[in-house]
Amino acid sequence: MKHVIIGAGPAGIVAAETIRKLDADATIVVVGDEPEPPYSRMAIPYLLTRSIGEQGTYLRKQDDHFRQVGIEVVVDRVASVNPGTRSLLLADGPGMQYDTLLVASGSTPILPPVPGIGGDRVTSCWTLEDARRIAAGIRPGSSVVLIGAGFIGCIILEALVSSGARLTVVEMGNRMVPRMLDETCGTLLEKWCNSNGITVMTGSQVEAVEDQGDSALVRISGGRSVEAQLVISAAGVRANAGFLEGAGVDLSDGAVVIDEYMCSSVSGIYAAGDVACGRDFSTGEYSVQAIQPTAVEHGRLAANNMVKHGSVTHQGSMVMNVLDTIGLISASYGQWDGVAGGDSATLEDRENYRYLQLQFEGDRLIGANTLGMTQHIGVLRGLVQGRFSLGAWKDRLKDNPLLIMEAYLAVTQGTG
Amino acid sequence: MLRSLTIDPDKCTGCLQCEMACSYENEGVFNPAKSRIKVFTFHDEGRFVPYTCTQCDEAWCLHACPVDAIRMNRETGAMEVSDSVCVGCKVCTIACPFGTVNYNQDTGKVIKCDLCGGDPKCASACPTAAITYVDADATGLDKMRAWAARTDNAASASN
């Protein structure tokens, strides 16, 4: 069997290694379109703070790891896929046959459609190449405008602040990280950023980026403008599935719709990670989650089904995120924004930037937001994903949400 | 023969010697806040429950790590964090459904139980044998592990 995997991120690499574990004889080829060895975008913020070098971002640290396990990594771009002949065309190399194909090609940043966004002073923060541009473009005292206060925008703030840059963050939503944090949490995060010397403009949009030679003038809604040496755009991503045009694969908002076997609408073509529109554990609906744990889970399950179709069923992946914004740690799980007819518990300590919010449906925990917490937060996943009936512990949690570990021990082990 | 920590909450008196021993062994200070084993108190029921990583087969932390910083020690069966590789992204801390991987803000790395390399100090410090280090097959951890299947999206996975 020959398995071809498009994409050398976590989903693709985990899939390749899982296939190898299941079938010692299979031919496995990974096609990635970046020149570096397979690496993790999750590690880029730590590269920017110089906590690690580029090698520290690599998914596997040993030089000849992929050769040793018999996985061929090809640097090229897939131009098109022909399911009829089970083959694909590469941009530079020769064509390639496959028995099964995994689309794990990830996503690409979207630039907001405003005049001047294509200028030299504007960069995304997505690839190692982007990281090098950002590192080279920042000097102590330089002015940086960050478009988008989402996950990526926030997680690189520490690196930007520690480099001595003056920062302005422009976010369309009414708060920071609106897709991960509730209003109280996002607003507290904004206050934290302000206290760290960052100008945050929520409910605002960049309207134009004007080149002024040695700087750019960033025009912002409300008649405001900021001069900047560097503009970083972190305004969302879209799935990379353009090469599937004409292949007959069902897409939703440009992402590959997958079934419970991680298979697309076309037999033999699977998808995983940021490019896949898969089942959500909490809602049962199909969406692109674009998070590391889901990418890895998709990759592992897809690999099982590529080796033996129907061998493993996907029950749905749970949304979860953890974010470090200049040392203030926030996390979200599942349906953190609650459900109709649901119930919630909150604990707020605004002065110390601590916040915990739990969402219930009946006597089950279905989601949570945390701020300023680093101990035992994983148990929130355990409680949500185990769908445990909390019984009397629901009221105890409503009195004191911090008792999450105690509640978990009580309902799982019958202690307490 | 792999050994594992087994915990019998009925024998725990809440003395916290385990937390002190863990913190001293791993962080060089007597500070329960830095312990990898934690004793939870149930005031109403008058019970104490020591709790730490079970080195579960699913190894959620290991699989969630984006930079391959968590590996299984084949001699002890423990999932160990390599400090030199860990970037401190904390994905493992939210992926572990037991809540037993925690972020240490002082070091910028995550910490979890590594069985002290095969000589767990919490077990030797426990005066009442509430925490023991015994043959893995003989432990009472089955109950803790069994539910993990409920969290596993691939309960039928063959690997």
Side-chain angles (χ1 to χ4, degrees):
Chain A
M1 287 280 274
K2 181 173 181 181
H3 306 282
V4 175
I5 293 160
I6 306 172
I13 295 303
V14 165
E17 291 177 348
T18 306
I19 293 172
R20 174 55 71 228
K21 277 183 207 153
L22 296 170
D23 182 354
D25 301 323
T27 302
I28 305 169
V29 182
V30 175
V31 183
D33 65 359
E34 291 182 55
E36 299 86 3
Y39 69 91
S40 168
R41 305 205 196 288
M42 288 291 298
I44 286 178
Y46 309 96
L47 173 67
L48 289 173
T49 56
R50 299 191 172 84
S51 307
I52 53 169
E54 285 198 11
Q55 203 170 6
T57 69
Y58 296 171
L59 293 176
R60 301 294 176 258
K61 302 294 190 276
Q62 202 184 318
D63 276 349
D64 59 349
H65 168 81
F66 295 106
R67 193 179 54 80
Q68 279 206 3
V69 295
I71 294 169
E72 187 188 351
V73 180
V74 174
V75 178
D76 207 331
R77 194 173 54 76
V78 174
S80 64
V81 174
N82 183 342
T85 56
R86 295 212 174 206
S87 64
L88 53 85
L89 289 177
L90 298 174
D92 296 324
M96 203 181 276
Q97 297 290 130
Y98 65 81
D99 292 304
T100 75
L101 180 69
L102 179 66
V103 178
S105 42
S107 47
T108 308
I110 305 169
L111 295 174
V114 299
I117 198 73
D120 287 345
R121 293 191 178 273
V122 184
T123 181
S124 298
C125 182
W126 193 243
T127 62
L128 280 177
E129 181 58 33
D130 292 340
R132 290 179 205 122
R133 282 185 73 182
I134 291 170
I138 298 182
R139 301 273 177 282
S142 50
S143 166
V144 176
V145 170
L146 177 64
I147 307 176
F151 182 88
I152 294 163
C154 284
I155 207 164
I156 61 169
L157 281 179
E158 175 148 5
L160 302 177
V161 168
S162 66
S163 70
R166 284 176 294 122
L167 270 171
T168 306
V169 180
V170 184
E171 164 61 39
M172 272 171 65
N174 70 344
R175 60 184 187 271
M176 297 186 79
V177 216
R179 291 178 57 198
M180 167 182 163
L181 303 177
D182 71 16
E183 193 145 356
T184 307
C185 207
T187 306
L188 270 174
L189 193 60
E190 180 173 341
K191 194 175 143 208
W192 171 258
C193 289
N194 293 153
S195 75
N196 277 278
I198 298 171
T199 305
V200 181
M201 300 177 180
T202 50
S204 304
Q205 293 188 49
V206 166
E207 293 176 337
V209 180
E210 295 168 9
D211 192 352
Q212 296 189 320
D214 57 356
S215 69
L217 189 69
V218 181
R219 297 217 178 262
I220 301 163
S221 55
R224 295 162 293 181
S225 61
V226 176
E227 198 174 293
Q229 278 72 49
L230 182 69
V231 178
I232 301 173
S233 177
V237 296
R238 65 173 159 73
N240 277 334
F243 55 86
L244 288 175
E245 201 181 304
V249 172
D250 281 351
L251 303 178
S252 168
D253 274 341
V256 180
V257 180
I258 50 172
D259 64 14
E260 67 268 41
Y261 304 119
M262 322 310 283
C263 193
S264 74
S265 59
V266 173
S267 164
I269 300 182
Y270 299 76
D274 289 16
V275 75
C277 180
R279 189 177 162 91
D280 181 291
F281 167 84
S282 299
T283 62
E285 287 167 13
Y286 287 74
S287 59
V288 175
Q289 293 183 341
I291 55 173
Q292 163 86 14
T294 297
V296 169
E297 189 166 74
H298 278 184
R300 187 170 57 91
L301 300 181
N304 277 270
N305 285 302
M306 289 165 76
V307 171
K308 188 181 173 202
H309 188 83
S311 59
V312 183
T313 314
H314 182 218
Q315 308 294 329
S317 298
M318 192 170 137
V319 176
M320 60 182 94
N321 266 303
V322 61
L323 172 61
D324 188 332
T325 312
I326 327 171
L328 183 60
I329 294 153
S330 54
S332 71
Y333 281 105
Q335 291 168 295
W336 55 267
D337 47 353
V339 291
D343 203 357
S344 66
T346 55
L347 184 79
E348 273 182 52
D349 177 2
R350 287 175 182 258
E351 245 167 59
N352 294 304
Y353 297 99
R354 275 171 67 85
Y355 178 64
L356 175 59
Q357 177 257 89
L358 306 176
Q359 293 290 339
F360 305 95
E361 186 171 28
D363 74 344
R364 290 178 165 80
L365 187 72
I366 55 165
N369 259 172
T370 71
L371 187 72
M373 289 179 63
T374 55
Q375 300 299 298
H376 310 298
I377 50 176
V379 83
L380 291 165
R381 177 191 189 175
L383 282 168
V384 174
Q385 206 152 2
R387 292 196 163 112
F388 295 108
S389 183
L390 290 164
W393 279 91
K394 180 182 169 185
D395 281 339
R396 294 189 192 183
L397 284 173
K398 288 183 78 171
D399 285 343
N400 182 3
L402 289 173
L403 294 176
I404 48 174
M405 270 305 307
E406 286 81 356
Y408 168 81
L409 288 170
V411 300
T412 58
Q413 297 186 38
T415 45
Chain B
M1 175 72 74
L2 277 187
R3 295 202 287 168
S4 62
L5 284 174
T6 184
I7 291 171
D8 181 353
D10 287 342
K11 292 182 180 166
C12 179
T13 61
C15 74
L16 307 189
Q17 297 278 356
C18 54
E19 293 190 5
M20 301 295 259
C22 176
S23 159
Y24 186 67
E25 172 70 13
N26 294 294
E27 306 295 330
V29 288
F30 289 109
N31 181 355
K34 294 196 166 169
S35 173
R36 297 155 191 213
I37 188 165
K38 188 86 192 149
V39 178
F40 291 92
T41 306
F42 293 81
H43 289 292
D44 293 349
E45 296 80 3
R47 278 170 65 83
F48 302 97
V49 181
Y51 185 74
T52 191
C53 172
T54 65
Q55 318 298 340
C56 70
D57 290 340
E58 292 77 11
W60 307 96
C61 58
L62 181 153
H63 293 299
C65 179
V67 293
D68 208 14
I70 304 179
R71 296 260 180 118
M72 187 171 85
N73 177 326
R74 296 202 178 274
E75 278 174 32
T76 63
M79 310 306 149
E80 297 180 348
V81 180
S82 165
D83 275 357
S84 61
V85 181
C86 174
V87 298
C89 78
K90 311 164 203 69
V91 172
C92 57
T93 72
I94 59 164
C96 167
F98 304 99
T100 52
V101 189
N102 292 315
Y103 179 61
N104 181 349
Q105 208 141 10
D106 296 340
T107 60
K109 311 280 178 186
V110 297
I111 52 177
K112 70 176 289 298
C113 171
D114 59 2
L115 297 173
C116 297
D119 179 18
K121 302 300 181 196
C122 55
S124 38
C126 180
T128 61
I131 305 165
T132 49
Y133 189 52
V134 296
D135 286 351
D137 293 339
T139 69
L141 293 176
D142 297 352
K143 214 164 46 168
M144 286 173 74
R145 287 180 170 172
W147 80 269
R150 298 176 66 163
T151 316
D152 193 351
N153 285 313
S156 58
S158 50
N159 63 324

